[in-house]
Amino acid sequence: MSDVDHLHELLGLPAVDFQSGTKDGSRPAAGAAAWRVFVEPYEDEDRTWEQEFAAFLDEVDPAGVRALIIGQWGESYEEKSSYPIGLVIAAAERLTSLEAVFVGDLTMEEAEISWIEQSDVTALLDAFPALLELGVRGGSELSFPATKHERLRSLTIETGGLPVQVVRGVLDSELPALERLDLWLGVSAYGGDTDVADLAPLLSGTRFPALHHLGLRNSEVENEIAAAVASAPLVARLRTLDLSCGTLGDEGAAALLEGQPLTHLDVLDLHHHFLTEPMERRVAEALEPHGVRVDLSDRCKPWGDRGAAGRYVTVSE
């Protein structure tokens, strides 16, 4: 499964498709939108992403742009994201207000998530020291060597299989302002070789002192993650815990309830799960009276008669 939508917003700004040649009066102000720059390889055969981005810089005041969404840049399964990233970095002196970038905003119709060829996305952090949000979709060829950035508040990596080297690079990074971390861990069949033990530096609470939102999502080992989270020191300072879109079943939910108190959370997101109705009630009755908003939507059934082996994540290929 691999059904993801285009972003609706970034940095709290509505996503707006940039279309070259549009009359100025019909566009929002440069800083009032998250601008999605893209090309359609079959419809715009003679139009490159470089040309479209150049038009964007000419037609939208680059000094006012706060959020940029890198959409389809051609045949994304053939050309790495270093191509559009390099062009954005080359324009850094013009994009003086840029605070958020998302790389790879492609839907299944444009490219399966496992087909999106990524690259070293930390180059954006080096080029934009004022960046507050960074998002990435696609794990193939993705690189995130340990880096340092003083202002980054939100990091999202969406994959159908997140390589462990990326996880290690993130966790070895110095990101003192990081408040939100969302990792879509995915499945081993598509490169998701992260083990629960690899998350230990994160769950220990010794990394990212400002972190209050944690998503460890879309994992085929969601039960093991839940069991590790149940006793993790980090959880005591979280406001949002997101274990959604994976293979979570009764065993993982029971581990959460039997572990440290979760009543301090604002949100526990478990949507797309394999809990039975009695366990759903147990989770809701344990937390909702304390003001925790629990998302138990999208209860799933395993494929066939395979039991736990038939569970599946939301996004894989």
Side-chain angles (χ1 to χ4, degrees):
M1 303 180 69
S2 183
D3 192 6
V4 288
D5 295 327
H6 282 142
L7 295 187
H8 298 295
E9 65 174 27
L10 182 66
L11 200 70
L13 301 171
V16 173
D17 286 350
F18 170 75
Q19 294 179 317
S20 56
T22 303
K23 294 181 180 179
D24 290 341
S26 62
R27 287 194 181 119
W35 295 96
R36 180 171 174 262
V37 180
F38 67 101
V39 292
E40 299 285 0
Y42 299 111
E43 297 180 13
D44 304 325
E45 293 183 1
D46 298 326
R47 187 75 169 172
T48 66
W49 199 90
E50 182 175 6
Q51 291 171 324
E52 194 69 3
F53 185 60
F56 171 73
L57 295 175
D58 287 340
E59 297 178 29
V60 176
D61 177 18
V65 173
R66 298 177 58 210
L68 177 65
I69 300 170
I70 298 176
Q72 192 165 27
W73 53 84
E75 297 291 4
S76 55
Y77 53 86
E78 294 180 350
E79 183 129 39
K80 292 184 179 181
S81 65
S82 53
Y83 162 52
I85 286 174
L87 294 170
V88 172
I89 290 173
E93 292 185 359
R94 301 177 68 184
L95 295 165
T96 53
S97 298
L98 194 63
E99 296 178 312
V101 180
F102 189 95
V103 184
D105 185 29
L106 281 72
T107 65
M108 180 176 64
E109 289 73 22
E110 293 169 313
E112 297 283 3
I113 196 168
S114 63
W115 298 357
I116 302 173
E117 293 290 317
Q118 287 290 349
S119 58
D120 180 358
V121 295
T122 63
L124 288 163
L125 296 176
D126 295 336
F128 295 96
L131 211 63
L132 301 177
E133 297 187 12
L134 176 63
V136 184
R137 181 174 295 162
S140 180
E141 300 298 325
L142 178 62
S143 175
F144 199 106
T147 189
K148 182 176 181 179
H149 196 279
E150 295 294 333
R151 295 197 62 192
L152 191 71
R153 295 193 312 222
S154 177
L155 175 62
T156 299
I157 303 178
E158 304 176 356
T159 76
L162 186 56
V164 67
Q165 287 304 120
V166 173
V167 173
R168 290 171 180 165
V170 170
L171 299 189
D172 285 341
S173 295
E174 294 184 39
L175 305 171
L178 194 69
E179 299 175 355
R180 299 177 58 90
L181 177 63
D182 279 289
L183 302 177
W184 295 22
L185 298 171
V187 301
S188 58
Y190 289 97
D193 56 353
T194 300
D195 189 86
V196 173
D198 297 307
L199 302 173
L202 171 65
L203 298 179
S204 71
T206 59
R207 309 298 299 154
F208 315 136
L211 197 71
H212 62 72
H213 169 104
L214 176 62
L216 297 173
R217 310 177 56 197
N218 195 54
S219 175
E220 64 184 350
V221 294
E222 205 71 63
N223 286 310
E224 292 88 338
I225 290 173
V229 164
S231 59
L234 171 67
V235 173
R237 58 182 169 88
L238 294 180
R239 298 204 297 268
T240 303
L241 176 61
D242 186 346
L243 304 179
S244 67
C245 298
T247 59
L248 187 73
D250 282 6
E251 54 271 50
L256 286 174
L257 294 179
E258 293 163 7
Q260 62 188 300
L262 300 176
T263 52
H264 66 288
L265 293 174
D266 293 333
V267 177
L268 175 63
D269 190 344
L270 304 179
H271 83 272
H272 179 97
H273 62 83
F274 295 84
L275 275 61
T276 60
E277 288 188 49
M279 182 56 75
E280 280 187 336
R281 288 194 296 271
R282 277 189 60 190
V283 173
E285 291 170 0
L287 298 176
E288 288 179 345
H290 297 276
V292 183
R293 183 165 61 84
V294 183
D295 188 345
L296 289 164
S297 61
D298 192 16
R299 185 195 318 132
C300 303
K301 293 183 178 180
W303 283 323
D305 57 357
R306 300 171 59 196
R311 296 175 185 173
Y312 48 89
V313 303
T314 300
V315 178
S316 53
E317 184 183 3

